[in-house]
Amino acid sequence: MSAGDDPRPPRQTADADRHLEETPLGGEWVYDGALLHVRRDTVRLPDGGSATREYVVHAGAVLIVPVLDDGTLVIERQHRYPMNRVFVEFPAGKLDPGEDPLFCGQRELQEETGYTAREWAHAGAMHLAVAYSTEIIHIYFARGLTVGDQQLDHEEFVELTTVTPAQLLDWCRDGTVSDAKTLTCTLWLQNVLSGAWTLDWKSADFPRAAS
Amino acid sequence: MSAGDDPRPPRQTADADRHLEETPLGGEWVYDGALLHVRRDTVRLPDGGSATREYVVHAGAVLIVPVLDDGTLVIERQHRYPMNRVFVEFPAGKLDPGEDPLFCGQRELQEETGYTAREWAHAGAMHLAVAYSTEIIHIYFARGLTVGDQQLDHEEFVELTTVTPAQLLDWCRDGTVSDAKTLTCTLWLQNVLSGAWTLDWKSADFPRAAS
């Protein structure tokens, strides 16, 4: 398989980790849907054997932790069809092709919640399902929020509510929140609020890469 | 679509949330692979419109937070082909059909790390990728560990190491750990260690459902 046919992120294996690496021998697209694009590759295993790897090729996404002036958080309630239930989640959305993550965060926050934010801070990133997806979710915090109108996609039905950090943590403990990306960002929130982890806040109009 | 054809978990939508619910109109399997089983359903939207939903039907998994007697944690380093890099992760593995989650955790801990544990505690559960997967991951803590031999699957190449909770939190902050399931369980770990969240520890041989 030539590098041009490999839809995965660029290789990031340190020399010291080569003994763990699986390398592509070839592959094909097995499902090309509206949302999901699924690939099946044959790989060379570290011991010289071979195996099949199936995975979703994903464009990546951005999640926003929106902090109101009184310290409460804007969160969403949304029915998720695969799980057949409603989830409590931080706002998030998929990157458009070539889109800058910060720009995507600003766009998604406005579309899904109506809020715009005066200040933004990049927190980190998570890989959502490392066994079978290339999805990365970039994490931003937003503050200095001004309310506006939701501009939901015609297939989206999202209810907004607010929650205190203490209540959110209770919900993570008791299972009311079980969405992995929201649980992960609650780890960020808890450590930012305690002062253990710091954020580098920037004005919403600071220069960013063209998108 | 009859209930028998619906591979999703049973409906868990409260009456108060019916206005957010998407209901199935029909569907088909679009990819039936060795690891991934992908479905495409047509759904009735809350406003009466229709849409397509594509998702991975997953058997579920178990993650174990293994705590050594000195308070350090057993973690794994594993190359994940979809992301083309090595990840730091807590041990985890998929449920066999009908398998009890605790039994799965005991089996996976022994297979992947060689350790057996005297005491187990169920912490909670996460839903990994609510937009496109039915995967649930049950979270267990294990302590009173005794070392043994790894029994890895022939396609698995997993390196073991240990880490202190403080180091693990640093790794979550600086991006060394970016796996969402491991980040989520670090939220559990931090709150268990602070005493904010409590676990109900049980002896490894307490009665469990037949599996």
Side-chain angles (χ1 to χ4, degrees):
Chain A
M1 188 161 66
S2 73
D5 297 331
D6 188 348
R8 300 175 305 147
R11 177 170 185 252
Q12 292 179 55
T13 312
D15 284 349
D17 285 330
R18 292 288 159 80
H19 62 291
L20 294 170
E21 195 172 40
E22 300 177 351
T23 55
L25 295 174
E28 59 179 335
W29 295 98
V30 291
Y31 180 64
D32 188 30
L35 168 70
L36 293 186
H37 308 281
V38 182
R39 196 164 164 93
R40 178 178 55 207
D41 289 0
T42 304
V43 306
R44 175 71 67 205
L45 296 170
D47 67 356
S50 66
T52 299
R53 297 289 177 242
E54 295 165 333
Y55 57 104
V56 171
V57 178
H58 194 283
V62 174
L63 180 149
I64 308 103
V65 179
V67 187
L68 291 165
D69 289 348
D70 67 358
T72 59
L73 309 155
V74 180
I75 53 167
E76 301 181 348
R77 299 180 68 256
Q78 186 175 3
H79 187 264
R80 293 299 197 162
Y81 179 82
M83 288 305 307
N84 208 357
R85 48 164 285 202
V86 169
F87 282 88
V88 174
E89 305 174 36
F90 281 123
K94 273 200 297 190
L95 287 161
D96 287 334
E99 189 177 32
D100 176 75
L102 173 60
F103 182 84
C104 174
Q106 294 174 336
R107 178 178 60 71
E108 287 286 351
L109 181 65
Q110 186 160 20
E111 288 175 5
E112 292 202 356
T113 72
Y115 283 98
T116 52
R118 235 178 11 252
E119 290 185 291
W120 289 77
H122 179 252
M126 74 186 93
H127 295 95
L128 196 60
V130 294
Y132 60 89
S133 174
T134 67
E135 182 170 5
I136 182 171
I137 302 181
H138 305 277
I139 307 166
Y140 286 87
F141 280 61
R143 70 181 181 190
L145 300 178
T146 305
V147 71
D149 293 326
Q150 276 179 305
Q151 300 149 33
L152 293 171
D153 186 89
H154 77 282
E155 291 187 2
E156 274 181 323
F157 298 85
V158 170
E159 206 166 75
L160 297 181
T161 183
T162 59
V163 64
T164 64
Q167 180 70 72
L168 179 65
L169 275 158
D170 268 353
W171 285 351
C172 292
R173 182 188 48 74
D174 73 14
T176 304
V177 170
S178 68
D179 168 52
K181 67 180 180 304
T182 301
L183 289 161
T184 288
C185 290
T186 303
L187 175 70
W188 269 95
L189 180 71
Q190 183 167 38
N191 285 286
V192 165
L193 291 178
S194 77
W197 299 0
T198 54
L199 295 174
D200 183 16
W201 288 98
K202 296 184 177 174
S203 157
D205 55 358
F206 69 88
R208 52 173 185 257
S211 62
Chain B
M1 187 160 67
S2 72
D5 297 331
D6 189 346
R8 300 176 305 148
R11 179 169 183 251
Q12 292 179 54
T13 311
D15 284 348
D17 285 331
R18 291 288 158 81
H19 62 292
L20 294 170
E21 195 173 41
E22 301 176 350
T23 54
L25 296 173
E28 58 178 335
W29 295 97
V30 290
Y31 181 65
D32 187 30
L35 169 69
L36 293 187
H37 308 280
V38 182
R39 192 160 169 97
R40 179 178 56 207
D41 288 1
T42 303
V43 305
R44 176 71 68 204
L45 296 171
D47 68 357
S50 65
T52 300
R53 299 288 177 241
E54 297 165 332
Y55 57 103
V56 171
V57 177
H58 194 283
V62 174
L63 180 148
I64 308 103
V65 179
V67 186
L68 291 164
D69 289 347
D70 67 359
T72 60
L73 310 155
V74 179
I75 53 166
E76 300 182 348
R77 299 179 69 254
Q78 185 173 5
H79 187 265
R80 293 298 197 165
Y81 179 81
M83 288 305 307
N84 208 358
R85 47 163 285 201
V86 169
F87 283 87
V88 174
E89 304 172 38
F90 281 123
K94 273 200 296 190
L95 286 160
D96 287 335
E99 190 177 29
D100 176 77
L102 172 61
F103 183 84
C104 174
Q106 295 174 333
R107 177 179 59 73
E108 286 287 350
L109 182 65
Q110 185 158 22
E111 287 175 5
E112 291 202 356
T113 73
Y115 282 98
T116 52
R118 233 181 8 253
E119 289 185 293
W120 289 78
H122 179 252
M126 74 186 94
H127 295 95
L128 196 59
V130 293
Y132 60 88
S133 173
T134 67
E135 182 170 4
I136 183 172
I137 302 181
H138 305 278
I139 307 168
Y140 286 87
F141 279 61
R143 69 183 182 189
L145 300 178
T146 305
V147 71
D149 293 326
Q150 275 177 305
Q151 300 150 32
L152 292 172
D153 185 270
H154 77 284
E155 290 187 3
E156 274 182 322
F157 298 85
V158 170
E159 205 165 77
L160 297 181
T161 183
T162 60
V163 64
T164 64
Q167 179 71 72
L168 178 66
L169 276 159
D170 268 354
W171 285 352
C172 292
R173 182 187 49 74
D174 73 13
T176 304
V177 169
S178 68
D179 169 51
K181 67 180 182 300
T182 301
L183 289 161
T184 288
C185 290
T186 303
L187 175 70
W188 269 95
L189 180 71
Q190 183 168 36
N191 285 287
V192 165
L193 291 178
S194 77
W197 299 0
T198 53
L199 296 175
D200 183 17
W201 289 98
K202 296 186 177 175
S203 156
D205 53 0
F206 70 90
R208 53 173 185 261
S211 60

